[in-house]
């Protein structure tokens, strides 16, 4: 009698859009929920991100048009990238406090070599969410979380294209100070612009008190 071939295990279920499967809130704020990103977030992120106005002051890494493929690529990165030497996923979705649907994102970019104890913060939200204080509140919570989660980090940095005054305001409200301007340091679609550097040192961060 021939031995029956072993039945292969069933494939894992596809990621569910069921809100019960979403990662729990890391912060429940008055204007948003900050939580880890889930595979089912890609369509909402794509809808919020797909706008020339949102991309205008972002680097080429934030494309425009922002396709569903780009959103899925970013979700793949955000759900797997951990800060080296830790088990921590540092990219969060900024979500509507009622529906838990992503409105934008916030995260860090690592620096290298002698700057490894600094992170650069990056953030964005869809146009419909602008001017409501969402990012001011989200960045303050995120900055506190970063300093508390990564004890080696002694400095956070924000790099802002000239003209992006809303972003400078958001950083200043989290305690960042303008340290200097890298004149004509950026060029995007042929337009040359300054890059403002804002920094926040751990010992200056009143959010930790
Ligand atoms: C920059 C950005 C994150 C701000 O988010 P937000 O949720 O609208 O920010 P907030 O509402 O918390 O605060 C923004 C402040 O800037 C003000 N503001 C908006 N546009 C402005 C402008 N052109 N000039 C000056 N201030 C401006 C707002 O009125 C608000 O101040 P107020 O509370 O005193 O009214 C958002 O516009 C965005 O996602 N932009 C596209 C992506 C981006 O630029 N990311 C940052 C890259 S460094």
């Amino acid at each position: 009698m021939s031995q029956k071939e072993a039945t292969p295990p069933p494939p894992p279920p596809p990621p569910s859009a069921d809100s019960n499967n979403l990662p729990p809130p890391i912060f429940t704020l008055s204007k948003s929920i900050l939580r880890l990103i889930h595979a089912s977030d890609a369509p909402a992120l794509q809808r919020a991100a797909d706008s020339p106005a949102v991309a205008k002051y972002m680097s080429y890494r934030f494309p425009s048009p922002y396709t569903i493929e780009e959103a899925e690529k970013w979700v793949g990165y955000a759900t797997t990238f951990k800060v080296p030497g830790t088990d921590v996923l540092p990219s969060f979705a900024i979500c509507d406090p009622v529906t838990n649907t992503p409105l934008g994102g916030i995260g860090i970019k690592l620096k290298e070599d002698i700057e490894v104890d600094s992170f650069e913060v990056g953030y964005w939200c869809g146009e419909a969410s602008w001017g409501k204080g969402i990012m001011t509140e989200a960045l303050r919570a995120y900055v506190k979380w970063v300093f508390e989660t990564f004890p080696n980090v002694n400095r956070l940095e924000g790099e802002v294209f000239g003209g992006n005054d809303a972003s400078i305001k958001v950083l200043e409200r989290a305690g960042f100070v303008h340290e200097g301007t890298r004149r004509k340091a950026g060029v995007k679609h042929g337009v040359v612009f300054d890059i403002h550097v804002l920094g926040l040192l751990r010992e200056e961060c009143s959010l930790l008190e």
Side-chain angles (χ1 to χ4, degrees):
M1 198 169 74
S2 69
Q3 205 179 351
K4 259 186 157 181
E5 274 184 24
T7 317
S16 167
D18 181 344
S19 62
N20 292 328
N21 285 339
L22 293 174
I26 293 168
F27 292 104
T28 301
L29 305 172
S30 69
K31 298 168 196 283
S32 70
I33 289 169
L34 302 192
R35 62 162 172 82
L36 292 176
I37 287 154
H38 185 265
S40 64
D41 289 331
L45 286 165
Q46 187 265 333
R47 282 193 298 276
D50 187 26
S51 149
V54 174
K56 181 176 177 188
Y57 295 122
M58 303 287 275
S59 73
Y60 286 128
R61 285 183 294 124
F62 191 99
S64 181
Y66 200 107
T67 61
I68 188 67
E69 290 77 21
E70 292 291 349
E72 282 165 355
K73 210 160 68 183
W74 192 75
V75 165
Y77 166 82
T79 51
T80 53
F81 170 74
K82 294 177 177 172
V83 172
T86 78
D87 211 21
V88 183
L89 296 160
S91 307
F92 296 171
I94 301 169
C95 301
D96 182 285
V98 177
T99 63
N100 208 357
T101 307
L103 309 169
I106 191 161
I108 49 168
K109 193 167 132 197
L110 303 182
K111 296 176 91 72
E112 293 178 348
D113 203 292
I114 57 164
E115 294 183 87
V116 286
D117 286 347
S118 300
F119 289 159
E120 183 183 331
V121 291
Y123 44 82
W124 66 274
C125 56
E127 262 178 287
S129 310
W130 292 4
K132 299 177 180 173
I134 291 175
M135 199 59 80
T136 293
E137 188 186 48
L139 182 64
R140 287 169 60 89
Y142 187 72
V143 158
K144 183 169 186 292
W145 177 84
V146 172
F147 276 135
E148 287 175 349
T149 306
F150 305 102
N152 62 308
V153 169
N154 57 34
R155 169 190 166 81
L156 296 178
E157 198 167 291
E159 291 206 348
V160 184
F161 290 20
N164 195 356
D165 295 343
S167 187
I168 290 179
K169 223 169 182 179
V170 166
L171 285 164
E172 286 177 343
R173 285 172 174 169
F176 287 68
V177 295
H178 183 250
E179 296 177 329
T181 297
R182 297 166 57 215
R183 295 173 302 156
K184 294 192 175 181
V187 56
K188 189 171 178 189
H189 302 308
V191 178
V192 175
F193 53 85
D194 295 341
I195 297 179
H196 302 297
V197 179
L198 288 93
L200 173 63
L201 305 185
R202 173 182 290 277
E203 62 268 29
E204 291 171 354
C205 183
S206 62
L207 302 167
L208 295 173
E209 287 161 4

